mmCIF file of all heavy atoms in Angstrom:
data_model
loop_
_atom_site.group_PDB
_atom_site.id
_atom_site.type_symbol
_atom_site.label_atom_id
_atom_site.label_comp_id
_atom_site.label_asym_id
_atom_site.label_seq_id
_atom_site.Cartn_x
_atom_site.Cartn_y
_atom_site.Cartn_z
ATOM 1 N N VAL A 496 124.293 31.843 96.929
ATOM 2 C CA VAL A 496 125.426 32.719 97.192
ATOM 3 C C VAL A 496 125.165 33.474 98.495
ATOM 4 O O VAL A 496 124.139 34.138 98.646
ATOM 5 C CB VAL A 496 125.630 33.710 96.030
ATOM 6 C CG1 VAL A 496 126.730 34.722 96.372
ATOM 7 C CG2 VAL A 496 125.983 32.958 94.753
ATOM 8 N N VAL A 509 133.798 33.624 96.486
ATOM 9 C CA VAL A 509 132.350 33.489 96.574
ATOM 10 C C VAL A 509 132.049 32.454 97.647
ATOM 11 O O VAL A 509 132.545 31.320 97.574
ATOM 12 C CB VAL A 509 131.741 33.050 95.226
ATOM 13 C CG1 VAL A 509 130.220 32.928 95.345
ATOM 14 C CG2 VAL A 509 132.109 34.030 94.123
ATOM 15 N N ILE A 511 129.315 30.092 99.416
ATOM 16 C CA ILE A 511 128.094 29.413 98.986
ATOM 17 C C ILE A 511 127.544 28.632 100.170
ATOM 18 O O ILE A 511 128.193 27.716 100.684
ATOM 19 C CB ILE A 511 128.379 28.474 97.795
ATOM 20 C CG1 ILE A 511 128.928 29.293 96.616
ATOM 21 C CG2 ILE A 511 127.128 27.697 97.394
ATOM 22 C CD1 ILE A 511 129.683 28.491 95.607
ATOM 23 N N TRP A 529 130.385 24.575 88.658
ATOM 24 C CA TRP A 529 129.401 25.468 89.257
ATOM 25 C C TRP A 529 128.553 26.141 88.183
ATOM 26 O O TRP A 529 129.055 26.579 87.160
ATOM 27 C CB TRP A 529 130.107 26.546 90.081
ATOM 28 C CG TRP A 529 130.997 26.013 91.154
ATOM 29 C CD1 TRP A 529 132.334 25.729 91.050
ATOM 30 C CD2 TRP A 529 130.626 25.672 92.487
ATOM 31 N NE1 TRP A 529 132.816 25.254 92.235
ATOM 32 C CE2 TRP A 529 131.795 25.209 93.141
ATOM 33 C CE3 TRP A 529 129.425 25.735 93.201
ATOM 34 C CZ2 TRP A 529 131.786 24.801 94.469
ATOM 35 C CZ3 TRP A 529 129.426 25.333 94.524
ATOM 36 C CH2 TRP A 529 130.592 24.869 95.145
ATOM 37 N N ARG A 530 127.272 26.248 88.474
ATOM 38 C CA ARG A 530 126.337 26.961 87.602
ATOM 39 C C ARG A 530 125.544 27.933 88.474
ATOM 40 O O ARG A 530 124.864 27.516 89.423
ATOM 41 C CB ARG A 530 125.398 25.982 86.902
ATOM 42 C CG ARG A 530 124.580 26.587 85.772
ATOM 43 C CD ARG A 530 123.610 25.544 85.207
ATOM 44 N NE ARG A 530 124.305 24.350 84.752
ATOM 45 C CZ ARG A 530 124.768 24.184 83.526
ATOM 46 N NH1 ARG A 530 124.613 25.152 82.630
ATOM 47 N NH2 ARG A 530 125.372 23.065 83.177
ATOM 48 N N PHE A 531 125.656 29.226 88.186
ATOM 49 C CA PHE A 531 124.985 30.267 88.971
ATOM 50 C C PHE A 531 123.754 30.747 88.204
ATOM 51 O O PHE A 531 123.863 31.203 87.060
ATOM 52 C CB PHE A 531 125.935 31.426 89.257
ATOM 53 C CG PHE A 531 127.096 31.036 90.132
ATOM 54 C CD1 PHE A 531 128.237 30.442 89.586
ATOM 55 C CD2 PHE A 531 127.043 31.222 91.499
ATOM 56 C CE1 PHE A 531 129.299 30.062 90.383
ATOM 57 C CE2 PHE A 531 128.117 30.855 92.308
ATOM 58 C CZ PHE A 531 129.238 30.264 91.755
ATOM 59 N N PHE A 532 122.610 30.651 88.843
ATOM 60 C CA PHE A 532 121.348 30.969 88.162
ATOM 61 C C PHE A 532 121.056 32.462 88.239
ATOM 62 O O PHE A 532 120.109 32.909 88.880
ATOM 63 C CB PHE A 532 120.206 30.136 88.746
ATOM 64 C CG PHE A 532 120.242 28.705 88.301
ATOM 65 C CD1 PHE A 532 121.014 27.775 88.988
ATOM 66 C CD2 PHE A 532 119.555 28.291 87.179
ATOM 67 C CE1 PHE A 532 121.074 26.466 88.575
ATOM 68 C CE2 PHE A 532 119.609 26.969 86.755
ATOM 69 C CZ PHE A 532 120.373 26.058 87.453
ATOM 70 N N SER A 533 121.902 33.211 87.559
ATOM 71 C CA SER A 533 121.709 34.646 87.414
ATOM 72 C C SER A 533 121.712 34.967 85.923
ATOM 73 O O SER A 533 122.094 34.141 85.097
ATOM 74 C CB SER A 533 122.828 35.424 88.120
ATOM 75 O OG SER A 533 124.096 35.065 87.588
ATOM 76 N N ARG A 534 121.306 36.151 85.586
ATOM 77 C CA ARG A 534 121.189 36.525 84.184
ATOM 78 C C ARG A 534 122.546 36.416 83.481
ATOM 79 O O ARG A 534 123.541 36.973 83.928
ATOM 80 C CB ARG A 534 120.671 37.955 84.076
ATOM 81 C CG ARG A 534 120.414 38.412 82.648
ATOM 82 C CD ARG A 534 119.818 39.803 82.631
ATOM 83 N NE ARG A 534 119.552 40.241 81.257
ATOM 84 C CZ ARG A 534 119.038 41.433 80.938
ATOM 85 N NH1 ARG A 534 118.720 42.286 81.910
ATOM 86 N NH2 ARG A 534 118.848 41.733 79.679
ATOM 87 N N GLY A 535 122.572 35.667 82.382
ATOM 88 C CA GLY A 535 123.787 35.504 81.600
ATOM 89 C C GLY A 535 124.704 34.407 82.079
ATOM 90 O O GLY A 535 125.681 34.071 81.412
ATOM 91 N N ASN A 536 124.419 33.815 83.255
ATOM 92 C CA ASN A 536 125.306 32.787 83.813
ATOM 93 C C ASN A 536 124.675 31.409 83.879
ATOM 94 O O ASN A 536 125.390 30.409 83.953
ATOM 95 C CB ASN A 536 125.745 33.176 85.234
ATOM 96 C CG ASN A 536 126.837 34.217 85.241
ATOM 97 O OD1 ASN A 536 127.607 34.329 84.292
ATOM 98 N ND2 ASN A 536 126.905 35.003 86.300
ATOM 99 N N TRP A 537 123.337 31.327 83.879
ATOM 100 C CA TRP A 537 122.673 30.069 84.193
ATOM 101 C C TRP A 537 123.026 28.943 83.215
ATOM 102 O O TRP A 537 123.012 27.771 83.578
ATOM 103 C CB TRP A 537 121.156 30.286 84.218
ATOM 104 C CG TRP A 537 120.578 30.658 82.865
ATOM 105 C CD1 TRP A 537 120.408 31.903 82.360
ATOM 106 C CD2 TRP A 537 120.139 29.742 81.860
ATOM 107 N NE1 TRP A 537 119.877 31.851 81.098
ATOM 108 C CE2 TRP A 537 119.688 30.532 80.766
ATOM 109 C CE3 TRP A 537 120.054 28.352 81.767
ATOM 110 C CZ2 TRP A 537 119.200 29.957 79.600
ATOM 111 C CZ3 TRP A 537 119.557 27.785 80.606
ATOM 112 C CH2 TRP A 537 119.129 28.593 79.544
ATOM 113 N N TRP A 538 123.347 29.271 81.967
ATOM 114 C CA TRP A 538 123.583 28.244 80.959
ATOM 115 C C TRP A 538 125.051 27.805 80.907
ATOM 116 O O TRP A 538 125.411 26.909 80.144
ATOM 117 C CB TRP A 538 123.167 28.758 79.578
ATOM 118 C CG TRP A 538 123.910 29.998 79.157
ATOM 119 C CD1 TRP A 538 123.628 31.281 79.505
ATOM 120 C CD2 TRP A 538 125.065 30.061 78.323
ATOM 121 N NE1 TRP A 538 124.539 32.151 78.943
ATOM 122 C CE2 TRP A 538 125.426 31.426 78.200
ATOM 123 C CE3 TRP A 538 125.810 29.107 77.640
ATOM 124 C CZ2 TRP A 538 126.513 31.845 77.452
ATOM 125 C CZ3 TRP A 538 126.897 29.528 76.892
ATOM 126 C CH2 TRP A 538 127.235 30.889 76.807
ATOM 127 N N GLN A 539 125.903 28.411 81.745
ATOM 128 C CA GLN A 539 127.330 28.096 81.729
ATOM 129 C C GLN A 539 127.718 27.327 82.990
ATOM 130 O O GLN A 539 127.285 27.654 84.088
ATOM 131 C CB GLN A 539 128.162 29.371 81.659
ATOM 132 C CG GLN A 539 127.871 30.244 80.454
ATOM 133 C CD GLN A 539 128.734 31.490 80.462
ATOM 134 O OE1 GLN A 539 129.916 31.434 80.780
ATOM 135 N NE2 GLN A 539 128.157 32.613 80.105
ATOM 136 N N SER A 540 128.543 26.313 82.800
ATOM 137 C CA SER A 540 129.062 25.523 83.906
ATOM 138 C C SER A 540 130.581 25.620 83.894
ATOM 139 O O SER A 540 131.210 25.291 82.883
ATOM 140 C CB SER A 540 128.613 24.065 83.761
ATOM 141 O OG SER A 540 129.223 23.255 84.734
ATOM 142 N N HIS A 541 131.165 26.088 85.016
ATOM 143 C CA HIS A 541 132.613 26.298 85.073
ATOM 144 C C HIS A 541 133.210 25.568 86.274
ATOM 145 O O HIS A 541 132.588 25.490 87.337
ATOM 146 C CB HIS A 541 132.933 27.789 85.189
ATOM 147 C CG HIS A 541 132.788 28.530 83.903
ATOM 148 N ND1 HIS A 541 133.848 29.035 83.201
ATOM 149 C CD2 HIS A 541 131.695 28.838 83.177
ATOM 150 C CE1 HIS A 541 133.427 29.633 82.100
ATOM 151 N NE2 HIS A 541 132.112 29.529 82.069
ATOM 152 N N TYR A 543 135.582 25.281 89.412
ATOM 153 C CA TYR A 543 136.346 26.048 90.401
ATOM 154 C C TYR A 543 136.608 25.135 91.590
ATOM 155 O O TYR A 543 135.697 24.456 92.086
ATOM 156 C CB TYR A 543 135.582 27.290 90.868
ATOM 157 C CG TYR A 543 135.327 28.316 89.790
ATOM 158 C CD1 TYR A 543 134.017 28.608 89.392
ATOM 159 C CD2 TYR A 543 136.363 28.993 89.170
ATOM 160 C CE1 TYR A 543 133.768 29.553 88.404
ATOM 161 C CE2 TYR A 543 136.119 29.931 88.175
ATOM 162 C CZ TYR A 543 134.824 30.208 87.797
ATOM 163 O OH TYR A 543 134.576 31.139 86.813
ATOM 164 N N ILE A 556 134.776 29.249 97.041
ATOM 165 C CA ILE A 556 135.589 29.189 95.837
ATOM 166 C C ILE A 556 136.212 30.559 95.636
ATOM 167 O O ILE A 556 135.675 31.577 96.104
ATOM 168 C CB ILE A 556 134.772 28.777 94.596
ATOM 169 C CG1 ILE A 556 133.658 29.794 94.315
ATOM 170 C CG2 ILE A 556 134.203 27.388 94.764
ATOM 171 C CD1 ILE A 556 132.895 29.543 93.026
ATOM 172 N N HIS A 564 132.399 35.249 82.060
ATOM 173 C CA HIS A 564 131.745 34.556 83.160
ATOM 174 C C HIS A 564 132.253 35.042 84.508
ATOM 175 O O HIS A 564 131.468 35.344 85.419
ATOM 176 C CB HIS A 564 131.957 33.048 83.038
ATOM 177 C CG HIS A 564 131.329 32.262 84.145
ATOM 178 N ND1 HIS A 564 131.993 31.930 85.292
ATOM 179 C CD2 HIS A 564 130.071 31.761 84.284
ATOM 180 C CE1 HIS A 564 131.201 31.247 86.092
ATOM 181 N NE2 HIS A 564 130.033 31.125 85.503
ATOM 182 N N LEU A 568 130.289 36.951 87.449
ATOM 183 C CA LEU A 568 130.208 36.323 88.764
ATOM 184 C C LEU A 568 130.626 37.287 89.861
ATOM 185 O O LEU A 568 130.104 37.215 90.986
ATOM 186 C CB LEU A 568 131.101 35.078 88.774
ATOM 187 C CG LEU A 568 131.059 34.196 90.011
ATOM 188 C CD1 LEU A 568 129.638 33.729 90.295
ATOM 189 C CD2 LEU A 568 131.996 33.004 89.830
ATOM 190 N N VAL A 571 127.544 38.948 91.120
ATOM 191 C CA VAL A 571 126.391 38.104 91.409
ATOM 192 C C VAL A 571 125.718 38.562 92.707
ATOM 193 O O VAL A 571 126.382 38.997 93.652
ATOM 194 C CB VAL A 571 126.832 36.626 91.500
ATOM 195 C CG1 VAL A 571 127.657 36.358 92.754
ATOM 196 C CG2 VAL A 571 125.624 35.704 91.441
ATOM 197 N N THR A 575 121.515 34.263 95.129
ATOM 198 C CA THR A 575 121.413 33.632 93.817
ATOM 199 C C THR A 575 121.536 32.110 93.960
ATOM 200 O O THR A 575 122.486 31.621 94.571
ATOM 201 C CB THR A 575 122.534 34.135 92.887
ATOM 202 O OG1 THR A 575 122.366 35.539 92.670
ATOM 203 C CG2 THR A 575 122.506 33.403 91.552
ATOM 204 N N PRO A 576 120.599 31.341 93.400
ATOM 205 C CA PRO A 576 120.698 29.879 93.490
ATOM 206 C C PRO A 576 121.932 29.358 92.754
ATOM 207 O O PRO A 576 122.349 29.907 91.737
ATOM 208 C CB PRO A 576 119.406 29.395 92.817
ATOM 209 C CG PRO A 576 118.477 30.556 92.877
ATOM 210 C CD PRO A 576 119.341 31.775 92.770
ATOM 211 N N VAL A 577 122.502 28.286 93.289
ATOM 212 C CA VAL A 577 123.723 27.702 92.746
ATOM 213 C C VAL A 577 123.501 26.207 92.514
ATOM 214 O O VAL A 577 122.945 25.511 93.367
ATOM 215 C CB VAL A 577 124.920 27.904 93.697
ATOM 216 C CG1 VAL A 577 126.188 27.308 93.103
ATOM 217 C CG2 VAL A 577 125.115 29.384 93.997
ATOM 218 N N PHE A 578 123.930 25.750 91.353
ATOM 219 C CA PHE A 578 123.850 24.337 90.982
ATOM 220 C C PHE A 578 125.274 23.824 90.874
ATOM 221 O O PHE A 578 126.091 24.412 90.159
ATOM 222 C CB PHE A 578 123.123 24.220 89.636
ATOM 223 C CG PHE A 578 122.868 22.816 89.180
ATOM 224 C CD1 PHE A 578 121.697 22.154 89.503
ATOM 225 C CD2 PHE A 578 123.807 22.153 88.399
ATOM 226 C CE1 PHE A 578 121.457 20.866 89.062
ATOM 227 C CE2 PHE A 578 123.575 20.865 87.946
ATOM 228 C CZ PHE A 578 122.395 20.216 88.278
#
Side-chain angles (χ1 to χ4, degrees):
V496 174
V509 180
I511 300 159
W529 303 91
R530 192 184 303 270
F531 295 84
F532 285 86
S533 59
R534 184 176 181 181
N536 282 334
W537 65 269
W538 59 277
Q539 302 180 41
S540 173
H541 283 250
Y543 296 116
I556 61 174
H564 179 268
L568 186 57
V571 71
T575 296
V577 181
F578 185 91

